[in-house]
Amino acid sequence: MNAIDALFQRLRAAGKKAFIPFLTAGDPNLDATVTLAHTIATRGADLIEIGFPYSDPIADGPVIQASYTRALERGLKLDDLFAAVRRISDVPLVAMTSFTLIHRRGPAAFLDVAQASGFSGAIVPDLPFEESEDLAKLAADRDFKLIHLVTPTTPRPRARDIAQRSTGFLYCVSVTGITGERDQLPPELLDQLAWLREQTKLPLCVGFGVSKPAHVRMLREAADGVIVGSAIVRRLEETRPLAELGGSVGELVESLSRALNPA
Amino acid sequence: VLQDDDGQTANVHSVSAGLDYPGVGPEHSHWRDTRRVRYTSVSDTEALEAFGLCSRLEGILPALETAHAVVEAMRIAAKRAPSDIVVVCFSGRGDKDCYEVARLQGEDIES
């Protein structure tokens, strides 16, 4: 069974929710990414989303975009990224990648190397639903999850179609706009989640803007998981010396995962 | 799109902001492939020279994008009889580029 399916099955049986932190591969360097993945797996991460640095990210705010730029300026290459990810084995991994990188490598070849490196699925935010059928077939052939996104402004018939094609889980974007920390999440989000719940049996995971324990508490009844990116990536940028990175990111992950699954 | 082996977009540069772009759209690609349009290239230095020449000789301040076309027009005109007519489309005016051109020439016209 795919590791993402197994994870949600296990969490549902235990009445728990998935905490899904995001790490940029290669920021501040690939060794640090591997070490951080081990660290956060011991501090509450159930699944880790690995961001593939890309020169022209369309869905990311300034924090993640700057993180991608730092990694690329250090000369990060895809094959080095895959080689490093092979060293992470603590929790299931999902790739967050631009379709441009998949297209350049060739979709089948890309999925093969991603799967061989330990990824159980991918989120491809710049792949429109109408263009996703071919990649969805290639992924299904490999039992590799292709996680689609719905946003607050996705029309309902379209959201229903997206929910039907998505596998692994459904990525519910909490806000309009790009990734980045927000003070508050929109209250309508809970209505959207309740409606989506009637459309699909897939786990619903909420991301974009989620950055505080209060956000996580607001979502823990309605969602099956939360995804936190920019708040973590900001620590990758700000925490120095690097020896303190594991403690800093670990502490944040622990505080948010405890808000999601109180003891 | 100009990109590396991984698919990362190349870092491109042009003196003209409107040409500082790593890709070519499908219409231009089609026109090139069907040989309906011949495409050429012009350096920053040549475009800046044409910007100055066109401003001084014609009293027309071309956009830096247009200045690239002026360079090619001068190349073509040089091979033609003086009585031939060469048409250049001035896609934009250079008011917006004055400060950048002055900066590149080491002049301060802002104050």
Side-chain angles (χ1 to χ4, degrees):
Chain A
M1 185 193 278
N2 181 289
I4 296 173
D5 287 340
L7 171 73
F8 282 104
Q9 214 172 68
R10 180 169 62 74
L11 290 173
R12 273 185 172 173
K16 289 188 166 179
K17 309 290 177 166
F19 185 67
I20 309 174
F22 169 100
L23 293 174
T24 300
D27 182 26
N29 56 66
L30 283 170
D31 283 340
T33 305
V34 174
T35 308
L36 278 172
H38 292 310
T39 303
I40 61 180
T42 64
R43 301 192 71 171
D46 297 298
L47 172 69
I48 299 176
E49 188 181 320
I50 301 284
F52 282 46
Y54 176 53
S55 53
D56 297 67
I58 61 156
D60 284 305
V63 171
I64 292 178
Q65 185 168 0
S67 173
Y68 281 179
T69 302
R70 285 193 297 277
L72 291 173
E73 279 175 352
R74 294 178 56 96
L76 182 87
K77 299 294 286 180
L78 265 185
D79 286 328
D80 298 332
L81 185 162
F82 285 126
V85 166
R86 282 173 190 267
R87 292 154 54 202
I88 306 172
S89 57
D90 315 74
V91 292
L93 302 174
V94 60
M96 170 70 110
T97 175
S98 165
F99 188 70
T100 305
L101 304 182
I102 298 176
H103 178 71
R104 178 75 187 193
R105 175 76 51 122
F110 189 98
L111 294 186
D112 285 342
V113 63
Q115 195 164 35
S117 307
F119 286 105
S120 299
I123 304 161
V124 190
D126 55 0
L127 179 63
F129 173 70
E130 289 76 8
E131 306 290 336
S132 65
E133 200 176 343
D134 291 351
L135 191 66
K137 275 199 187 114
L138 289 170
D141 290 345
R142 292 161 173 77
D143 193 24
F144 187 86
K145 302 300 177 186
L146 187 58
I147 295 127
H148 289 263
L149 302 95
V150 292
T151 76
T153 52
T154 307
R156 288 194 161 179
R158 184 180 168 84
R160 198 178 292 130
D161 291 343
I162 291 173
Q164 275 167 12
R165 187 170 294 171
S166 190
T167 52
F169 62 88
L170 186 64
Y171 194 129
C172 308
V173 176
S174 69
V175 294
T176 49
I178 50 181
T179 61
E181 298 155 79
R182 309 290 205 278
D183 276 343
Q184 285 191 315
L185 299 181
E188 314 84 74
L189 176 59
L190 295 177
D191 299 333
Q192 162 102 336
L193 290 170
W195 180 81
L196 284 168
R197 184 69 77 196
E198 293 166 11
Q199 314 307 315
T200 176
K201 290 192 159 51
L202 279 181
L204 306 177
C205 297
V206 180
F208 283 43
V210 183
S211 47
K212 298 176 176 179
H215 300 157
V216 173
R217 281 193 288 271
M218 167 185 164
L219 293 167
R220 72 183 173 206
E221 293 301 319
D224 300 292
V226 297
I227 301 158
V228 175
S230 294
I232 292 170
V233 173
R234 195 157 51 79
R235 297 209 171 189
L236 300 183
E237 178 177 1
E238 292 175 356
T239 307
R240 294 294 180 274
L242 289 180
E244 289 172 14
L245 202 52
S248 165
V249 173
E251 172 195 54
L252 177 64
V253 166
E254 193 167 287
S255 72
L256 293 167
S257 73
R258 279 197 179 151
L260 186 65
N261 290 308
Chain B
V1 178
L2 292 168
Q3 53 183 206
D4 72 5
D5 299 342
D6 280 352
Q8 306 288 356
T9 307
N11 267 325
V12 294
H13 167 79
S14 169
V15 67
S16 151
L19 302 177
D20 193 350
Y21 185 74
V24 176
E27 284 180 346
H28 280 299
S29 301
H30 179 68
W31 291 336
R32 178 189 171 279
D33 288 348
T34 55
R35 300 191 182 190
R36 189 164 163 188
V37 176
R38 181 176 63 82
Y39 292 83
T40 184
S41 66
V42 168
S43 70
D44 282 359
T45 312
E46 291 172 311
L48 284 166
E49 277 171 21
F51 180 90
L53 274 175
C54 189
S55 303
R56 275 199 300 277
L57 299 178
E58 303 291 343
I60 300 170
L61 201 57
L64 277 175
E65 293 78 9
T66 302
H68 288 71
V70 173
V71 173
E72 184 63 14
M74 291 191 298
R75 289 174 187 160
I76 291 169
K79 296 179 205 157
R80 297 278 187 157
S83 56
D84 281 355
I85 294 171
V86 179
V87 178
V88 181
C89 171
F90 273 57
S91 60
R93 45 194 268 183
D95 312 38
K96 68 179 176 61
D97 295 316
C98 283
Y99 296 103
E100 178 61 9
V101 172
R103 189 185 68 78
L104 290 167
Q105 293 177 351
E107 290 170 34
D108 180 12
I109 58 171
E110 301 212 32
S111 43

